[in-house]
Amino acid sequence: MSHVSSPSPHGQSPLRTVQVLGGGSAGSSAHVRSLASGLVARGVRVTVCAPGETDRVYDFGGVGAQHVHIPRSSDPASVAALRSVCADADLVHAHGLHAGFRATLALGRRRTPLVVTWHTRSYAEGARAHLLRMLERRVAKAAAVVLGASSDLVDRARSRGARDARLAAVALPAPRRTDSHDDAERPRCKARAEVGATGRPLLVAVGTLDRHRGYDTLLDAAREWRGLDPAPLLVIAGEGPLRSNLQRRIEDEELPVRLLGRRDDVSELLAAADLALLPDGGESRSLLAQEALHARVPLVAADVGSVSDLVGDAAELVPYGDPVALAATVVRLLGDPDRCEALRENGTRQTATWPTEDETVAQVLSVYDELTQLRPLG
């Protein structure tokens, strides 16, 4: 299906934007696809610069954007390729700190407005923490506007020298619902059978396997519930540097946990789950939390970061890094269908309070309009 950009008001040519993704967390990649779709529908030309593997999952061309493969590296060749794409842009919008840094390098001394959305908090220790602060300062000062997905990120951007930092509406597409119970139940049974959860509770966690995601807490909690009959099975979808360490622990301690690696069927896994588990608050608007509530899957989450603001009373919150509390809450919920149903109903109400895709696009477009009012006529 072809999309034709309609003229902008006042006789101007269509606004030309470049959206820059780094490695692209699932949340930021889904957001860019949603944003691209809404912008194209409003007559904006959108080019998405992202690694090819990200485009294969999110199909930016399918919503009318042009995709250009740009590796996630900050090496000179990658920056030069990005500079070439940005040469004709009226505005560049980078998503994430590292994408913001690459866009800053690519734009150099150009006067093209740069918008950067910070979706997640970045972590570093020791000497790397100093480098991270320098990187954040460089990006915050280069951006005409920094959009933060949560108030703590807005505060962080301001503390790093941002001229203009604002809270951003970041909506994700709500999943399509099936009207038929049978249509919903068949893939649910298939997904449970595929991961080995037939006849036992299924718990799902999702995210990059790195140090700040709380996976040690999850495995400690699994040790607490492994004596149940049947023992709940925890499956973790995601890939990362901790995989071999986690796998070793699972085998050595005989934990009821499976590492599934990177998956493109997370929504199906979640729909099949009895509970979703979120042991960290790294993402300001956790994609897992949003998808769990949309899918009416009870959520147990660490009470950290902006998680409580996002989920309200639609999840069971436990202290961060407390495996005993996490395990006790999981076991209690598995034995309390009434409480699970109450969480589902609360979740439906909570998702209705979140920004819609239209509201998200409208806010971003208003920022673009502010920054490009003096564009030449077409």
Side-chain angles (χ1 to χ4, degrees), residues 22-57:
S25 68
S28 57
S29 298
H31 170 62
V32 168
R33 187 183 198 276
S34 169
L35 191 57
S37 177
L39 290 172
V40 167
R42 289 161 175 78
V44 176
R45 289 182 181 167
V46 178
T47 300
V48 178
C49 293
E53 61 266 26
T54 304
D55 182 59
R56 282 191 287 277
V57 174

PDB file of all heavy atoms in Angstrom, residues 22-57:
ATOM      1  N   GLY A  22      18.630   3.198  18.111  1.00  0.00           N
ATOM      2  CA  GLY A  22      19.911   2.532  18.342  1.00  0.00           C
ATOM      3  C   GLY A  22      19.705   1.042  18.213  1.00  0.00           C
ATOM      4  O   GLY A  22      19.165   0.551  17.215  1.00  0.00           O
ATOM      5  N   GLY A  23      20.112   0.296  19.254  1.00  0.00           N
ATOM      6  CA  GLY A  23      19.789  -1.119  19.276  1.00  0.00           C
ATOM      7  C   GLY A  23      18.281  -1.259  19.301  1.00  0.00           C
ATOM      8  O   GLY A  23      17.702  -2.177  18.756  1.00  0.00           O
ATOM      9  N   GLY A  24      17.646  -0.261  19.963  1.00  0.00           N
ATOM     10  CA  GLY A  24      16.195  -0.252  19.971  1.00  0.00           C
ATOM     11  C   GLY A  24      15.625  -1.257  20.946  1.00  0.00           C
ATOM     12  O   GLY A  24      15.505  -2.435  20.643  1.00  0.00           O
ATOM     13  N   SER A  25      15.316  -0.819  22.166  1.00  0.00           N
ATOM     14  CA  SER A  25      14.582  -1.695  23.071  1.00  0.00           C
ATOM     15  C   SER A  25      13.232  -1.973  22.438  1.00  0.00           C
ATOM     16  O   SER A  25      12.789  -1.260  21.537  1.00  0.00           O
ATOM     17  CB  SER A  25      14.397  -1.012  24.432  1.00  0.00           C
ATOM     18  OG  SER A  25      13.518   0.091  24.306  1.00  0.00           O
ATOM     19  N   ALA A  26      12.575  -3.025  22.926  1.00  0.00           N
ATOM     20  CA  ALA A  26      11.256  -3.348  22.369  1.00  0.00           C
ATOM     21  C   ALA A  26      10.313  -2.166  22.528  1.00  0.00           C
ATOM     22  O   ALA A  26       9.531  -1.852  21.627  1.00  0.00           O
ATOM     23  CB  ALA A  26      10.696  -4.591  23.058  1.00  0.00           C
ATOM     24  N   GLY A  27      10.393  -1.478  23.673  1.00  0.00           N
ATOM     25  CA  GLY A  27       9.494  -0.352  23.907  1.00  0.00           C
ATOM     26  C   GLY A  27       9.729   0.785  22.934  1.00  0.00           C
ATOM     27  O   GLY A  27       8.786   1.320  22.338  1.00  0.00           O
ATOM     28  N   SER A  28      10.991   1.176  22.736  1.00  0.00           N
ATOM     29  CA  SER A  28      11.265   2.306  21.849  1.00  0.00           C
ATOM     30  C   SER A  28      11.001   1.939  20.397  1.00  0.00           C
ATOM     31  O   SER A  28      10.524   2.762  19.610  1.00  0.00           O
ATOM     32  CB  SER A  28      12.701   2.818  22.029  1.00  0.00           C
ATOM     33  OG  SER A  28      13.642   1.802  21.803  1.00  0.00           O
ATOM     34  N   SER A  29      11.270   0.698  20.015  1.00  0.00           N
ATOM     35  CA  SER A  29      11.023   0.283  18.625  1.00  0.00           C
ATOM     36  C   SER A  29       9.528   0.266  18.316  1.00  0.00           C
ATOM     37  O   SER A  29       9.091   0.746  17.255  1.00  0.00           O
ATOM     38  CB  SER A  29      11.624  -1.108  18.376  1.00  0.00           C
ATOM     39  OG  SER A  29      13.020  -1.097  18.566  1.00  0.00           O
ATOM     40  N   ALA A  30       8.729  -0.273  19.248  1.00  0.00           N
ATOM     41  CA  ALA A  30       7.275  -0.282  19.045  1.00  0.00           C
ATOM     42  C   ALA A  30       6.738   1.145  19.023  1.00  0.00           C
ATOM     43  O   ALA A  30       5.836   1.477  18.244  1.00  0.00           O
ATOM     44  CB  ALA A  30       6.602  -1.089  20.154  1.00  0.00           C
ATOM     45  N   HIS A  31       7.302   2.009  19.858  1.00  0.00           N
ATOM     46  CA  HIS A  31       6.882   3.412  19.884  1.00  0.00           C
ATOM     47  C   HIS A  31       7.183   4.095  18.553  1.00  0.00           C
ATOM     48  O   HIS A  31       6.343   4.835  18.023  1.00  0.00           O
ATOM     49  CB  HIS A  31       7.608   4.128  21.027  1.00  0.00           C
ATOM     50  CG  HIS A  31       7.441   5.615  21.025  1.00  0.00           C
ATOM     51  ND1 HIS A  31       6.212   6.223  21.162  1.00  0.00           N
ATOM     52  CD2 HIS A  31       8.352   6.623  20.897  1.00  0.00           C
ATOM     53  CE1 HIS A  31       6.365   7.542  21.120  1.00  0.00           C
ATOM     54  NE2 HIS A  31       7.644   7.811  20.961  1.00  0.00           N
ATOM     55  N   VAL A  32       8.360   3.839  17.995  1.00  0.00           N
ATOM     56  CA  VAL A  32       8.717   4.477  16.728  1.00  0.00           C
ATOM     57  C   VAL A  32       7.810   3.988  15.602  1.00  0.00           C
ATOM     58  O   VAL A  32       7.398   4.772  14.740  1.00  0.00           O
ATOM     59  CB  VAL A  32      10.204   4.234  16.390  1.00  0.00           C
ATOM     60  CG1 VAL A  32      10.525   4.638  14.960  1.00  0.00           C
ATOM     61  CG2 VAL A  32      11.085   5.020  17.356  1.00  0.00           C
ATOM     62  N   ARG A  33       7.471   2.711  15.613  1.00  0.00           N
ATOM     63  CA  ARG A  33       6.562   2.216  14.574  1.00  0.00           C
ATOM     64  C   ARG A  33       5.190   2.902  14.689  1.00  0.00           C
ATOM     65  O   ARG A  33       4.611   3.339  13.692  1.00  0.00           O
ATOM     66  CB  ARG A  33       6.390   0.701  14.680  1.00  0.00           C
ATOM     67  CG  ARG A  33       5.587   0.127  13.504  1.00  0.00           C
ATOM     68  CD  ARG A  33       5.364  -1.370  13.658  1.00  0.00           C
ATOM     69  NE  ARG A  33       4.989  -1.974  12.377  1.00  0.00           N
ATOM     70  CZ  ARG A  33       3.739  -1.998  11.893  1.00  0.00           C
ATOM     71  NH1 ARG A  33       2.766  -1.430  12.580  1.00  0.00           N
ATOM     72  NH2 ARG A  33       3.495  -2.568  10.725  1.00  0.00           N
ATOM     73  N   SER A  34       4.681   2.995  15.924  1.00  0.00           N
ATOM     74  CA  SER A  34       3.400   3.658  16.160  1.00  0.00           C
ATOM     75  C   SER A  34       3.466   5.127  15.759  1.00  0.00           C
ATOM     76  O   SER A  34       2.566   5.656  15.098  1.00  0.00           O
ATOM     77  CB  SER A  34       3.031   3.514  17.647  1.00  0.00           C
ATOM     78  OG  SER A  34       1.944   4.338  17.984  1.00  0.00           O
ATOM     79  N   LEU A  35       4.557   5.789  16.145  1.00  0.00           N
ATOM     80  CA  LEU A  35       4.735   7.201  15.825  1.00  0.00           C
ATOM     81  C   LEU A  35       4.833   7.414  14.313  1.00  0.00           C
ATOM     82  O   LEU A  35       4.198   8.318  13.757  1.00  0.00           O
ATOM     83  CB  LEU A  35       6.008   7.701  16.508  1.00  0.00           C
ATOM     84  CG  LEU A  35       6.288   9.195  16.538  1.00  0.00           C
ATOM     85  CD1 LEU A  35       5.148   9.941  17.203  1.00  0.00           C
ATOM     86  CD2 LEU A  35       7.603   9.458  17.271  1.00  0.00           C
ATOM     87  N   ALA A  36       5.608   6.557  13.657  1.00  0.00           N
ATOM     88  CA  ALA A  36       5.756   6.670  12.202  1.00  0.00           C
ATOM     89  C   ALA A  36       4.405   6.526  11.506  1.00  0.00           C
ATOM     90  O   ALA A  36       4.081   7.282  10.591  1.00  0.00           O
ATOM     91  CB  ALA A  36       6.739   5.614  11.687  1.00  0.00           C
ATOM     92  N   SER A  37       3.614   5.573  11.963  1.00  0.00           N
ATOM     93  CA  SER A  37       2.299   5.351  11.364  1.00  0.00           C
ATOM     94  C   SER A  37       1.430   6.604  11.472  1.00  0.00           C
ATOM     95  O   SER A  37       0.818   7.051  10.498  1.00  0.00           O
ATOM     96  CB  SER A  37       1.612   4.165  12.063  1.00  0.00           C
ATOM     97  OG  SER A  37       0.314   3.968  11.563  1.00  0.00           O
ATOM     98  N   GLY A  38       1.405   7.185  12.687  1.00  0.00           N
ATOM     99  CA  GLY A  38       0.577   8.378  12.896  1.00  0.00           C
ATOM    100  C   GLY A  38       1.089   9.588  12.140  1.00  0.00           C
ATOM    101  O   GLY A  38       0.306  10.390  11.612  1.00  0.00           O
ATOM    102  N   LEU A  39       2.399   9.744  12.069  1.00  0.00           N
ATOM    103  CA  LEU A  39       2.972  10.889  11.356  1.00  0.00           C
ATOM    104  C   LEU A  39       2.707  10.789   9.855  1.00  0.00           C
ATOM    105  O   LEU A  39       2.338  11.776   9.210  1.00  0.00           O
ATOM    106  CB  LEU A  39       4.474  10.977  11.623  1.00  0.00           C
ATOM    107  CG  LEU A  39       4.884  11.382  13.051  1.00  0.00           C
ATOM    108  CD1 LEU A  39       6.395  11.241  13.225  1.00  0.00           C
ATOM    109  CD2 LEU A  39       4.435  12.806  13.366  1.00  0.00           C
ATOM    110  N   VAL A  40       2.910   9.592   9.302  1.00  0.00           N
ATOM    111  CA  VAL A  40       2.664   9.402   7.859  1.00  0.00           C
ATOM    112  C   VAL A  40       1.196   9.708   7.536  1.00  0.00           C
ATOM    113  O   VAL A  40       0.885  10.358   6.527  1.00  0.00           O
ATOM    114  CB  VAL A  40       3.043   7.973   7.430  1.00  0.00           C
ATOM    115  CG1 VAL A  40       2.509   7.670   6.029  1.00  0.00           C
ATOM    116  CG2 VAL A  40       4.556   7.788   7.473  1.00  0.00           C
ATOM    117  N   ALA A  41       0.299   9.262   8.409  1.00  0.00           N
ATOM    118  CA  ALA A  41      -1.136   9.511   8.183  1.00  0.00           C
ATOM    119  C   ALA A  41      -1.460  11.000   8.195  1.00  0.00           C
ATOM    120  O   ALA A  41      -2.460  11.431   7.609  1.00  0.00           O
ATOM    121  CB  ALA A  41      -1.962   8.793   9.248  1.00  0.00           C
ATOM    122  N   ARG A  42      -0.617  11.791   8.840  1.00  0.00           N
ATOM    123  CA  ARG A  42      -0.825  13.244   8.906  1.00  0.00           C
ATOM    124  C   ARG A  42       0.017  13.999   7.879  1.00  0.00           C
ATOM    125  O   ARG A  42       0.195  15.211   7.979  1.00  0.00           O
ATOM    126  CB  ARG A  42      -0.512  13.740  10.323  1.00  0.00           C
ATOM    127  CG  ARG A  42      -1.561  13.308  11.346  1.00  0.00           C
ATOM    128  CD  ARG A  42      -1.011  13.404  12.764  1.00  0.00           C
ATOM    129  NE  ARG A  42      -2.013  13.108  13.775  1.00  0.00           N
ATOM    130  CZ  ARG A  42      -2.419  11.880  14.095  1.00  0.00           C
ATOM    131  NH1 ARG A  42      -1.933  10.825  13.453  1.00  0.00           N
ATOM    132  NH2 ARG A  42      -3.323  11.701  15.042  1.00  0.00           N
ATOM    133  N   GLY A  43       0.570  13.281   6.919  1.00  0.00           N
ATOM    134  CA  GLY A  43       1.261  13.939   5.818  1.00  0.00           C
ATOM    135  C   GLY A  43       2.730  14.217   6.052  1.00  0.00           C
ATOM    136  O   GLY A  43       3.348  14.980   5.313  1.00  0.00           O
ATOM    137  N   VAL A  44       3.317  13.621   7.085  1.00  0.00           N
ATOM    138  CA  VAL A  44       4.732  13.824   7.375  1.00  0.00           C
ATOM    139  C   VAL A  44       5.548  12.733   6.686  1.00  0.00           C
ATOM    140  O   VAL A  44       5.145  11.564   6.688  1.00  0.00           O
ATOM    141  CB  VAL A  44       4.986  13.793   8.900  1.00  0.00           C
ATOM    142  CG1 VAL A  44       6.472  13.907   9.218  1.00  0.00           C
ATOM    143  CG2 VAL A  44       4.201  14.906   9.589  1.00  0.00           C
ATOM    144  N   ARG A  45       6.669  13.100   6.103  1.00  0.00           N
ATOM    145  CA  ARG A  45       7.573  12.094   5.526  1.00  0.00           C
ATOM    146  C   ARG A  45       8.486  11.566   6.632  1.00  0.00           C
ATOM    147  O   ARG A  45       9.124  12.359   7.341  1.00  0.00           O
ATOM    148  CB  ARG A  45       8.400  12.704   4.403  1.00  0.00           C
ATOM    149  CG  ARG A  45       7.570  13.005   3.162  1.00  0.00           C
ATOM    150  CD  ARG A  45       8.432  13.566   2.049  1.00  0.00           C
ATOM    151  NE  ARG A  45       7.635  13.870   0.875  1.00  0.00           N
ATOM    152  CZ  ARG A  45       8.064  14.591  -0.149  1.00  0.00           C
ATOM    153  NH1 ARG A  45       9.291  15.084  -0.138  1.00  0.00           N
ATOM    154  NH2 ARG A  45       7.281  14.825  -1.180  1.00  0.00           N
ATOM    155  N   VAL A  46       8.559  10.270   6.759  1.00  0.00           N
ATOM    156  CA  VAL A  46       9.302   9.653   7.860  1.00  0.00           C
ATOM    157  C   VAL A  46      10.330   8.673   7.309  1.00  0.00           C
ATOM    158  O   VAL A  46       9.995   7.775   6.533  1.00  0.00           O
ATOM    159  CB  VAL A  46       8.348   8.893   8.820  1.00  0.00           C
ATOM    160  CG1 VAL A  46       9.147   8.219   9.942  1.00  0.00           C
ATOM    161  CG2 VAL A  46       7.310   9.846   9.413  1.00  0.00           C
ATOM    162  N   THR A  47      11.584   8.882   7.694  1.00  0.00           N
ATOM    163  CA  THR A  47      12.639   7.911   7.425  1.00  0.00           C
ATOM    164  C   THR A  47      13.108   7.368   8.762  1.00  0.00           C
ATOM    165  O   THR A  47      13.421   8.141   9.672  1.00  0.00           O
ATOM    166  CB  THR A  47      13.826   8.565   6.696  1.00  0.00           C
ATOM    167  OG1 THR A  47      13.368   9.103   5.453  1.00  0.00           O
ATOM    168  CG2 THR A  47      14.925   7.541   6.433  1.00  0.00           C
ATOM    169  N   VAL A  48      13.111   6.052   8.917  1.00  0.00           N
ATOM    170  CA  VAL A  48      13.565   5.419  10.155  1.00  0.00           C
ATOM    171  C   VAL A  48      14.959   4.835   9.926  1.00  0.00           C
ATOM    172  O   VAL A  48      15.149   3.982   9.057  1.00  0.00           O
ATOM    173  CB  VAL A  48      12.604   4.308  10.618  1.00  0.00           C
ATOM    174  CG1 VAL A  48      13.132   3.633  11.885  1.00  0.00           C
ATOM    175  CG2 VAL A  48      11.208   4.879  10.873  1.00  0.00           C
ATOM    176  N   CYS A  49      15.924   5.314  10.699  1.00  0.00           N
ATOM    177  CA  CYS A  49      17.288   4.778  10.655  1.00  0.00           C
ATOM    178  C   CYS A  49      17.436   3.796  11.807  1.00  0.00           C
ATOM    179  O   CYS A  49      17.404   4.195  12.976  1.00  0.00           O
ATOM    180  CB  CYS A  49      18.311   5.901  10.778  1.00  0.00           C
ATOM    181  SG  CYS A  49      18.315   7.019   9.373  1.00  0.00           S
ATOM    182  N   ALA A  50      17.594   2.535  11.480  1.00  0.00           N
ATOM    183  CA  ALA A  50      17.660   1.495  12.502  1.00  0.00           C
ATOM    184  C   ALA A  50      18.369   0.284  11.922  1.00  0.00           C
ATOM    185  O   ALA A  50      18.403   0.103  10.698  1.00  0.00           O
ATOM    186  CB  ALA A  50      16.252   1.096  12.953  1.00  0.00           C
ATOM    187  N   PRO A  51      18.933  -0.561  12.779  1.00  0.00           N
ATOM    188  CA  PRO A  51      19.533  -1.800  12.268  1.00  0.00           C
ATOM    189  C   PRO A  51      18.517  -2.626  11.501  1.00  0.00           C
ATOM    190  O   PRO A  51      17.310  -2.605  11.803  1.00  0.00           O
ATOM    191  CB  PRO A  51      19.980  -2.519  13.552  1.00  0.00           C
ATOM    192  CG  PRO A  51      20.143  -1.430  14.566  1.00  0.00           C
ATOM    193  CD  PRO A  51      19.086  -0.425  14.241  1.00  0.00           C
ATOM    194  N   GLY A  52      19.021  -3.362  10.517  1.00  0.00           N
ATOM    195  CA  GLY A  52      18.131  -4.169   9.678  1.00  0.00           C
ATOM    196  C   GLY A  52      17.309  -5.161  10.470  1.00  0.00           C
ATOM    197  O   GLY A  52      16.133  -5.396  10.162  1.00  0.00           O
ATOM    198  N   GLU A  53      17.896  -5.751  11.526  1.00  0.00           N
ATOM    199  CA  GLU A  53      17.139  -6.749  12.298  1.00  0.00           C
ATOM    200  C   GLU A  53      15.956  -6.115  13.029  1.00  0.00           C
ATOM    201  O   GLU A  53      14.930  -6.756  13.246  1.00  0.00           O
ATOM    202  CB  GLU A  53      18.045  -7.492  13.286  1.00  0.00           C
ATOM    203  CG  GLU A  53      18.711  -6.635  14.348  1.00  0.00           C
ATOM    204  CD  GLU A  53      20.108  -6.173  13.956  1.00  0.00           C
ATOM    205  OE1 GLU A  53      20.401  -6.068  12.745  1.00  0.00           O
ATOM    206  OE2 GLU A  53      20.911  -5.923  14.880  1.00  0.00           O
ATOM    207  N   THR A  54      16.084  -4.837  13.399  1.00  0.00           N
ATOM    208  CA  THR A  54      14.963  -4.152  14.042  1.00  0.00           C
ATOM    209  C   THR A  54      13.829  -3.954  13.047  1.00  0.00           C
ATOM    210  O   THR A  54      12.659  -4.154  13.364  1.00  0.00           O
ATOM    211  CB  THR A  54      15.420  -2.785  14.608  1.00  0.00           C
ATOM    212  OG1 THR A  54      16.519  -2.990  15.492  1.00  0.00           O
ATOM    213  CG2 THR A  54      14.300  -2.113  15.380  1.00  0.00           C
ATOM    214  N   ASP A  55      14.172  -3.578  11.819  1.00  0.00           N
ATOM    215  CA  ASP A  55      13.145  -3.390  10.794  1.00  0.00           C
ATOM    216  C   ASP A  55      12.457  -4.706  10.449  1.00  0.00           C
ATOM    217  O   ASP A  55      11.256  -4.731  10.177  1.00  0.00           O
ATOM    218  CB  ASP A  55      13.760  -2.774   9.535  1.00  0.00           C
ATOM    219  CG  ASP A  55      12.717  -2.529   8.456  1.00  0.00           C
ATOM    220  OD1 ASP A  55      11.762  -1.780   8.726  1.00  0.00           O
ATOM    221  OD2 ASP A  55      12.851  -3.101   7.359  1.00  0.00           O
ATOM    222  N   ARG A  56      13.202  -5.805  10.489  1.00  0.00           N
ATOM    223  CA  ARG A  56      12.577  -7.106  10.173  1.00  0.00           C
ATOM    224  C   ARG A  56      11.490  -7.453  11.182  1.00  0.00           C
ATOM    225  O   ARG A  56      10.498  -8.084  10.840  1.00  0.00           O
ATOM    226  CB  ARG A  56      13.639  -8.203  10.105  1.00  0.00           C
ATOM    227  CG  ARG A  56      14.432  -8.189   8.799  1.00  0.00           C
ATOM    228  CD  ARG A  56      15.284  -9.427   8.629  1.00  0.00           C
ATOM    229  NE  ARG A  56      16.447  -9.428   9.503  1.00  0.00           N
ATOM    230  CZ  ARG A  56      17.580  -8.801   9.232  1.00  0.00           C
ATOM    231  NH1 ARG A  56      17.701  -8.102   8.103  1.00  0.00           N
ATOM    232  NH2 ARG A  56      18.604  -8.853  10.064  1.00  0.00           N
ATOM    233  N   VAL A  57      11.665  -7.024  12.415  1.00  0.00           N
ATOM    234  CA  VAL A  57      10.654  -7.298  13.443  1.00  0.00           C
ATOM    235  C   VAL A  57       9.508  -6.288  13.372  1.00  0.00           C
ATOM    236  O   VAL A  57       8.337  -6.659  13.478  1.00  0.00           O
ATOM    237  CB  VAL A  57      11.284  -7.270  14.851  1.00  0.00           C
ATOM    238  CG1 VAL A  57      10.216  -7.415  15.929  1.00  0.00           C
ATOM    239  CG2 VAL A  57      12.333  -8.373  14.987  1.00  0.00           C
TER     240      VAL A  57
END
